[in-house]
Amino acid sequence: MPDTIPALLAVAAERDPGKTWLRTDDEQLTFGQATAQVVGTIERLQQAGVRRGDLVVVTARTTPPYLLAWLALTSMGAVAVTCDPELAPAELVGLVSQVRPRLLLTDDAMVARVEISGAREQAELGVGRVEDLVDRTSYPGHGGPGLVGLGLRGSGPGPDDVATLIPTSGTTGRSKLVMQTHRAYAMAGDGFPYWMELTEDDRLLTSLPLFHVNATAYSTMGSLACGAGLVLLPRFSASGFLDSARRHGATEFNAIGAMLEILMRQPERPDDADTPLRLCYTGPSPTQQRQEEIEARLGLRIVCGYAMSESPYGLIWPRGRRPYGTLGGLRQHPTLGVVNHGRVVGDDDADVPVGEVGEMLLRNPVVTPGYWQMPDETAAAIVDGWLHTGDLVTEDGDGMYTFVARKKEVLRRRGQNLSPAEVEEAIASHPDVLECAVVGVPSELSEEDIKAFVVLVPGRRVDFAALQVWAAERLTAFKVPRFWQALDSLPRTPTARVAKHRLPTGHPPDEVDVDQRQVQGQDGP
């Protein structure tokens, strides 16, 4: 059984080298061609001075060169630090300064932006471009030389070696970087086709970013494991998504955040269900009524689940069951059997009774080894092998778990996590702002919108448009608040902490909605 990324790739290439695997609007690659290009990319990375164990920051866009570069880095035993290509310059410099990588890898379209950020100076070998490393003209055949000698078989990384560092949020300080192992990706690849009932005849479509664990662990590794095709879309566009599925013959896709709601808000067409799509994986679960509406309009079946960068083995609807409103039961391995265990505990870490709210804990072979160079955070999150997820759930006595809320103060917007503290820090750095508090407010797209409360320096006048521009210059777009409200002071607890639960999170008359583009007529979350 393959237990590393290169082993999974090599098995796929040897099993059916001439079968088309990777599809975009511009090109197609067979399993053999893609593997051969990975081998060539490994050679060029080695020639550039990258070695096993080196950290390489990758501004990962959802394109074949980035995916092939990611496969090459992990297959040679380097560690890919995948980051959002839309990071603000200060955020990018903060991340690169934190990890001090051997190389910063970007592309032609982004290299000027990366250079302006000043991140080059923090990478030992400077900035490289995927176009220079992934030679699209090399190895055009179905096979590829050097699979054994270059580490795709035998001498490559081990299952417990770290393959990636996944930033859980981009900050200008120290980001929590989840270490994930080759075993985690290989076991996710084994599990996903089983959980979703996928076969070699399926084509998995992803428009999700490659800096998320979802697109790589589930769509990429899953397609390699079962011999299915993989369709890459550069971004999620609601207006063209179904047409893309038709064009590529896609049968399954993964949705995060508000993607399904955004699709449903498109003008209805009589052919919405006339696509090859038959399956969608998403989470958290919509209501039964809403799920049935989505399924009826799009002509597919939705499977709900729950996982995180810290563990791709979380929860999922069991095969053959439709436990509406829940996140399902514990994911298990198709051949190894029961490898994943869960608990629901209170603040004292004791198990709570069935039906009561508590924190979800997971223990399995693919729980992260921890947060890179953060022993205290690691010790707090993983206790005696149990991962504290920070999410509150209930368990119904039949092994089905239902999401209730997040225990930790992390907001979820447009399919991504953000820390209110980093948004507050950016806004509070404005000379007119005395202090700031940021909270999540209900969004019509099923996740959260961001609202900022500001207290101005005495004598200053509020200009929310200017504050939004200030925030946008320092934060990724999805972190910039939509709603703004000025207060004379922030409510406090007896210990002088900001009492966020007492903030007016509704929509009072003096609230300003600066970003009118949100939801209305937008393509993409």
Side-chain angles (χ1 to χ4, degrees):
M1 182 181 300
D3 53 9
T4 66
I5 293 170
L8 202 59
L9 179 60
V11 167
E14 293 165 1
R15 179 181 55 222
D16 199 354
K19 180 182 177 181
T20 298
W21 173 50
L22 192 59
R23 288 175 166 85
T24 71
D25 285 339
D26 300 320
E27 64 184 310
Q28 296 184 7
L29 289 174
T30 66
F31 284 102
Q33 288 170 329
T35 304
Q37 290 196 6
V38 168
V39 171
T41 303
I42 291 173
E43 290 177 333
R44 285 179 282 277
L45 283 164
Q46 291 173 333
Q47 291 166 4
V50 177
R51 300 289 182 264
R52 181 170 175 164
D54 285 346
L55 274 59
V56 177
V57 172
V58 184
T59 59
R61 298 201 290 169
T62 307
T63 67
Y66 274 109
L67 180 58
L68 295 169
W70 181 88
L71 287 168
L73 287 166
T74 54
S75 293
M76 69 183 290
V79 180
V81 186
T82 54
C83 73
D84 185 347
E86 299 300 321
L87 286 180
E91 293 172 311
L92 179 60
V93 170
L95 174 63
V96 177
S97 299
Q98 179 179 342
V99 302
R100 298 285 176 156
R102 182 77 163 161
L103 179 69
L104 170 55
L105 193 56
T106 187
D107 63 16
D108 283 337
M110 294 189 59
V111 68
R113 180 175 178 179
V114 169
E115 294 288 2
I116 291 172
S117 74
R120 171 185 285 275
E121 288 71 24
Q122 308 302 322
E124 185 177 353
L125 296 177
V127 174
R129 301 180 307 161
V130 289
E131 292 87 353
D132 295 333
L133 292 171
V134 182
D135 184 352
R136 317 311 299 286
T137 62
S138 293
Y139 311 120
H142 292 316
L147 296 184
V148 175
L150 287 170
L152 291 186
R153 278 295 202 182
S155 61
D160 294 318
D161 287 345
V162 174
T164 60
L165 300 184
I166 308 168
T168 57
S169 62
T171 70
T172 55
R174 287 179 59 77
S175 181
K176 288 176 71 174
L177 300 169
V178 178
M179 296 185 287
Q180 243 340 332
T181 65
H182 280 264
R183 187 191 308 277
Y185 284 94
M187 287 187 64
D190 289 335
F192 192 69
Y194 171 76
W195 304 325
M196 294 296 296
E197 300 179 69
L198 300 170
T199 73
E200 63 182 8
D201 296 323
D202 281 296
R203 292 182 186 174
L204 285 58
L205 180 150
T206 185
S207 59
L208 301 179
L210 293 179
F211 58 85
H212 271 190
V213 71
N214 190 309
T216 47
Y218 293 150
S219 298
T220 302
M221 295 295 106
S223 65
L224 290 174
C226 72
L230 178 64
V231 181
L232 289 187
L233 299 182
R235 60 183 291 271
F236 174 67
S237 170
S239 62
F241 188 81
L242 297 180
D243 287 334
S244 294
R246 293 185 188 97
R247 188 165 61 251
H248 292 289
T251 60
E252 187 274 347
F253 73 99
N254 294 358
I256 60 173
M259 285 173 59
L260 289 176
E261 283 298 327
I262 290 176
L263 279 175
M264 291 293 285
R265 289 168 189 268
Q266 289 293 300
E268 192 164 356
R269 290 170 30 179
D271 65 345
D272 280 346
D274 185 18
T275 77
L277 289 170
R278 66 184 185 91
L279 287 168
C280 169
Y281 167 75
T282 193
S285 303
T287 64
Q288 178 175 347
Q289 179 181 350
R290 189 55 171 165
Q291 179 163 335
E292 290 174 342
E293 290 172 352
I294 297 170
E295 290 179 330
R297 177 173 166 182
L298 301 183
L300 48 74
R301 176 163 56 94
I302 295 173
V303 178
C304 298
Y306 163 91
M308 53 201 308
S309 299
E310 286 87 345
S311 174
Y313 272 56
L315 309 170
I316 199 165
W317 282 12
R319 290 168 53 139
R321 295 185 60 182
R322 307 271 286 164
Y324 290 105
T326 78
L327 297 174
L330 292 163
R331 302 179 192 232
Q332 304 298 351
H333 194 273
T335 57
L336 298 177
V338 177
V339 298
N340 191 23
H341 305 272
R343 296 171 59 201
V344 183
V345 305
D347 291 338
D348 58 357
D349 272 4
D351 293 349
V352 302
V354 169
E356 290 195 11
V357 176
E359 183 181 6
M360 183 82 218
L361 271 58
L362 295 169
R363 185 176 67 186
N364 57 62
V366 297
V367 165
T368 174
Y371 301 105
W372 186 75
Q373 293 191 347
M374 289 187 171
D376 293 342
E377 288 82 352
T378 298
I382 305 170
V383 181
D384 296 329
W386 289 96
L387 171 67
H388 286 245
T389 68
D391 290 313
L392 301 176
V393 302
T394 60
E395 193 268 317
D396 66 359
D398 191 32
M400 296 298 107
Y401 297 81
T402 300
F403 178 78
V404 176
R406 290 182 179 84
K407 183 177 181 180
K408 51 191 176 182
E409 191 186 31
V410 172
L411 305 181
R412 183 80 170 172
R413 188 188 191 198
R414 303 182 190 176
Q416 300 196 58
N417 293 333
L418 67 94
S419 166
E422 64 180 314
V423 183
E424 291 163 354
E425 179 182 3
I427 297 170
S429 66
H430 191 283
D432 290 346
V433 176
L434 183 63
E435 57 181 347
C436 171
V438 169
V439 300
V441 296
S443 166
E444 54 190 332
L445 291 180
S446 82
E447 289 188 336
E448 296 170 303
D449 270 318
I450 310 303
K451 182 171 182 178
F453 297 88
V454 296
V455 178
L456 298 179
V457 172
R460 304 293 176 88
R461 297 182 60 184
V462 66
D463 184 345
F464 288 126
L467 286 178
Q468 190 198 38
V469 170
W470 179 273
E473 291 173 346
R474 290 157 176 79
L475 299 167
T476 314
F478 77 90
K479 301 174 186 175
V480 178
R482 174 184 178 182
F483 299 106
W484 300 76
Q485 187 174 347
L487 298 176
D488 293 332
S489 62
L490 298 177
R492 301 282 179 180
T493 67
T495 58
R497 294 180 179 271
V498 176
K500 290 190 175 181
H501 63 284
R502 291 167 48 198
L503 290 167
T505 54
H507 300 293
D510 59 342
E511 177 186 84
V512 173
D513 179 356
V514 176
D515 187 4
Q516 297 293 336
R517 298 167 298 171
Q518 174 73 12
V519 181
Q520 299 298 328
Q522 284 294 290
D523 275 351

